[in-house]
Amino acid sequence: MDFIKLTALFFVTAIAEIVGCYLPWLVLRQDKSPWLLLPAALSLALFAWLLTLHPTGAARTYAAYGGAYIAVALLWLRLVDGVALTRYDMAGAGLALAGMAVIALQPPT
């Protein structure tokens, strides 16, 4: 799988995980409808399925995925929660994505 497709898969996987966790947060912290738990469960099931599409072993996938998750979580913070990102957020996301690339682009063993 080429790096662009792998990165896109990581980002879609991260969105599924974040949605699956954000909706219950809305129910528990902002008193939203418990019906949000249904799409949350579906989103987490999608997240688990998407992880199976990654081409490497589970532990390596989780390690590389962490970098994408950090970047997507910060984008979510900005776009959904409306919180301005700091230069430290941006630097951290850049470092995390660099770590993801190092793990994902290593030569086959």
Side-chain angles (χ1 to χ4, degrees), residues 62-87:
Y62 295 147
Y65 165 71
Y69 180 86
I70 290 167
V72 172
L74 289 170
L75 283 172
W76 185 277
L77 181 68
R78 178 68 189 118
L79 299 174
V80 175
D81 291 332
V83 176
L85 299 180
T86 68
R87 64 179 180 217

Side-chain angles (χ1 to χ4, degrees), residues 81-106:
D81 291 332
V83 176
L85 299 180
T86 68
R87 64 179 180 217
Y88 298 99
D89 293 327
M90 303 297 265
L95 289 169
L97 289 172
M100 179 198 81
V102 167
I103 294 167
L105 294 174
Q106 65 181 285

